[in-house]
Amino acid sequence: MHLMKRHAAWILFGLLAFYGIISLLVSAQESATFDEKAHIPSAYSYVRYGDMRLNPEHPPLLKDLAGLPLLFLDVKFPLDTPEWQNGINEQWTLGDLFMNCTRPDIACNDSDAILFWSRLPITLVALLLGLFLFFWGRELGGALAGLIAAALFVLDPNTIAHGHYVTTDIGIAAFLFFAFYFFVHFLKRPSWKNVLLAGCFLGLAELTKFSAVLLFPIFGLFALLYALTKPTATPQSDTTPSRLHPRFSILFEYLSKYAVMVVVCFALISIVYALNTWNMPAEKTIANAELVFAGERPAKVFARETLTTLATTPGLAPMAHYFLGVFMVFSRVAGGNTFYFLGTVSDTASPYYFPIIFALKESLPLLFLLLVTTGYTLFRITKAVSGKQASDFFRVFAESFQARITQYLALFFILFYSYVSITGNLNIGFRHLFPILPFLYLLIAKTLADFIRRHMEQSGYLIRPLFALLFVSMLLVPLSVYPSYLSYYNAIAGGNENGYKIATDSNYDWGQDLKHLRNFIDEHNQCLKADYLGCDERLVELPPIDTIRLDYFGGSNPALYLPGRYTAWHSDNEPESGWYAVSAVFFQESIYKHKAPGKRGYEWLRDLGEDARAGDSIFIFYVSPDDLH
């Protein structure tokens, strides 16, 4: 353990280098995910044209970062198309035109180059999160705690999976964590410097994803509680009115400075939105509002009128677009999404979705550590409060709250955010729990480091090999499933091979394996021409793949990777003999969703059994003429 502390910087560098290299390798092998087709063209249009008419339901910060490298590429954007000039939020169509070369009259861009370079800044954000985990862990429990926190992040297959996609998932986890870090520094020392830093990072979180609005009540509550539990003997700042009772003086200082923090936050939001909408006509914002909030329900009328007023008031147009996004997100969460989960297809959320997905998508070593450290923490709390009088509760709580403010804040956020997710109506992926993951890593690391420090002298002979075994088991998880991280499920769920039976969408199949399908077809045809080592003996008995029937879910255009070698297919088509490739999302939904009489799903392919897979998420079948009978 002392060796780890002495070489902490090099160990951290090795962990982050491992994460960065894996992310770059996987990024180069994967096709565009479904959501990236909307995010990437939006990113370029923001930084190149100062226009946010595309994808307004997400703030611009991460897309600005993703769009910056594209400015140095020779790319053409479809400005002259009706979809851009007259359309309303035509993000999917413009995504195809910008990335996927879907129309002969529109100049083609290098899709792979756009995908790789726009993903690179997201990977850098993920690496910055790993660095912050180390620094905050070190502040709480020394270098060992910092390294454990960073290792839990780096070796989690789920963070590796999403750590390069041009979406908001890893970004909101990072910027929420940064905002909490600087808010805790403000609580411990409410200087104006810390007020400014906390306000700026609160603003950056709000500019990352609209779910960050939850921070306003959480930070306000904890500013209040911290002020109420702070010892009154603490010297006050010169700006605090001395005529007030010391308790009210502390309360006034914290709440007034928190108010300033919120003002700084919205000032930053306004500036960033102004930079992203300087060339956007107000009519586009109003048209978006009228389309999304059509109808005469009071809430929709209020949204339309508010956004129209803001958009047409000089100086407030940037905030009109900000609140358009906020309103759109709340509307979408209320509406829900269609998803497959445990043999059902529904657009109504299940309260069991996120608990089950968390238990089956997280690695077993991390789940083990979570259970052990939680049990150890409860044991320590019980031991600390046993024998205490009820009259001492407030004093004990106040002292503990002041000394362990990070732990209280992190635990509250984990529980609160989990409750909001479980009771919400947007069950479309484990990625929506990403905001709580850094705090879980931090709490586990702090508790584990404290346990090791307390018991190393007496039980070091046992702790050292167990710690080494635990680290090796954590390292083996990402190494064993490379490069299929998005489809990762732990052994309890049956691993990557069977995870699609639990849930699909961004838990398993987001369109990432189209390049792997191309590689499979090339390798299979090569195996039939020559006796290559590693060829599947069973597959070489099957005919070559000249044309494959493809039912693909994702953000890439199959024609880019399989030109002239595929036919678009649907589950309702009349079965034919030949090769089939079906994305797991469409495969499961076609089988388990309610179908009208006479409609066909892929039950017949399921009964035949798959012959191979491209990656994990594209199922490949060969149907012989005899199979049709």
Side-chain angles (χ1 to χ4, degrees), residues 497-513:
E497 182 178 354
N498 296 298
Y500 73 95
K501 299 174 183 177
I502 309 298
T504 53
D505 206 88
S506 60
N507 295 305
Y508 196 85
D509 172 22
W510 220 6
Q512 73 277 10
D513 284 330

Side-chain angles (χ1 to χ4, degrees), residues 316-491:
L316 295 182
M319 297 309 296
H321 210 77
Y322 171 75
F323 284 109
L324 170 65
V326 173
F327 294 159
M328 288 179 70
V329 166
F330 281 108
S331 176
R332 181 168 180 246
V333 170
N337 272 70
T338 300
F339 62 97
Y340 166 80
F341 177 58
L342 291 178
T344 62
V345 177
S346 174
D347 59 1
T348 302
S350 166
Y352 306 108
Y353 181 88
F354 281 115
I356 290 175
I357 290 297
F358 179 84
L360 299 181
K361 286 283 289 179
E362 265 302 350
S363 69
L364 294 181
L366 188 139
L367 293 175
F368 170 77
L369 282 177
L370 179 59
L371 290 174
V372 169
T373 54
T374 300
Y376 181 69
T377 299
L378 293 174
F379 167 76
R380 296 281 300 175
I381 292 173
T382 304
K383 184 177 178 181
V385 300
S386 61
K388 294 289 192 301
Q389 299 294 324
S391 57
D392 292 334
F393 175 78
F394 179 78
R395 179 184 57 80
V396 172
F397 170 76
E399 292 174 356
S400 175
F401 191 81
Q402 292 288 315
R404 300 175 179 85
I405 181 58
T406 297
Q407 291 93 313
Y408 277 95
L409 188 55
L411 180 60
F412 178 86
F413 179 71
I414 290 169
L415 296 176
F416 179 69
Y417 191 88
S418 299
Y419 171 78
V420 171
S421 299
I422 289 170
T423 57
N425 197 34
L426 202 61
N427 289 1
I428 55 174
F430 176 66
R431 61 193 176 94
H432 285 276
L433 290 181
F434 271 31
I436 70 172
L437 293 186
F439 297 99
L440 286 176
Y441 303 148
L442 190 66
L443 293 180
I444 291 171
K446 163 66 174 168
T447 305
L448 186 58
D450 287 348
F451 174 85
I452 291 173
R453 186 175 62 253
R454 291 188 185 106
H455 301 281
M456 178 60 77
E457 187 174 343
Q458 295 84 5
S459 307
Y461 66 95
L462 185 61
I463 290 175
R464 289 186 182 92
L466 287 177
F467 187 83
L469 179 63
L470 185 63
F471 177 79
V472 170
S473 67
M474 289 170 57
L475 179 62
L476 287 176
V477 172
L479 291 178
S480 63
V481 299
Y482 174 87
S484 297
Y485 295 109
L486 184 70
S487 53
Y488 173 78
Y489 276 84
N490 62 36

Side-chain angles (χ1 to χ4, degrees), residues 129-308:
L129 174 56
L131 193 63
F132 257 78
L133 274 162
F134 171 76
F135 287 139
W136 204 352
R138 187 176 63 178
E139 288 181 15
L140 290 177
L144 180 60
L147 289 174
I148 294 172
L152 290 172
F153 167 75
V154 163
L155 302 178
D156 189 331
N158 298 289
T159 62
I160 297 175
H162 290 268
H164 55 277
Y165 295 144
V166 185
T167 59
T168 58
D169 303 305
I170 202 72
I172 188 58
F175 281 98
L176 272 176
F177 194 71
F178 304 159
F180 273 87
Y181 177 82
F182 287 102
F183 178 70
V184 169
H185 277 236
F186 156 74
L187 292 179
K188 292 181 176 179
R189 187 171 181 270
S191 65
W192 287 111
K193 173 187 173 183
N194 286 339
V195 170
L196 182 62
L197 284 171
C200 287
F201 277 89
L202 176 60
L204 292 175
E206 302 300 328
L207 287 163
T208 302
K209 195 170 185 176
F210 289 117
S211 58
V213 296
L214 295 174
L215 295 189
F216 292 122
I218 293 174
F219 284 5
L221 174 64
F222 272 79
L224 176 64
L225 291 176
Y226 199 83
L228 291 175
T229 56
K230 194 167 187 178
T232 55
T234 302
Q236 303 303 303
S237 68
D238 295 337
T239 60
T240 304
S242 59
R243 65 179 181 275
L244 294 177
H245 185 278
R247 176 65 61 201
F248 291 108
S249 298
I250 296 173
L251 190 62
F252 176 82
E253 179 181 24
Y254 272 92
L255 295 185
S256 62
K257 288 185 174 179
Y258 174 63
V260 174
M261 187 189 306
V262 172
V263 171
V264 171
C265 162
F266 275 99
L268 181 61
I269 290 173
S270 182
I271 292 170
V272 173
Y273 265 88
L275 293 173
N276 280 275
T277 58
W278 64 269
N279 198 33
M280 180 175 175
E283 293 76 16
K284 286 294 180 182
T285 304
I286 297 171
N288 261 316
E290 291 176 345
L291 176 67
V292 175
F293 304 110
E296 297 306 317
R297 290 175 54 187
K300 292 187 175 183
V301 172
F302 170 79
R304 286 202 308 271
E305 292 180 350
T306 300
L307 294 170
T308 300

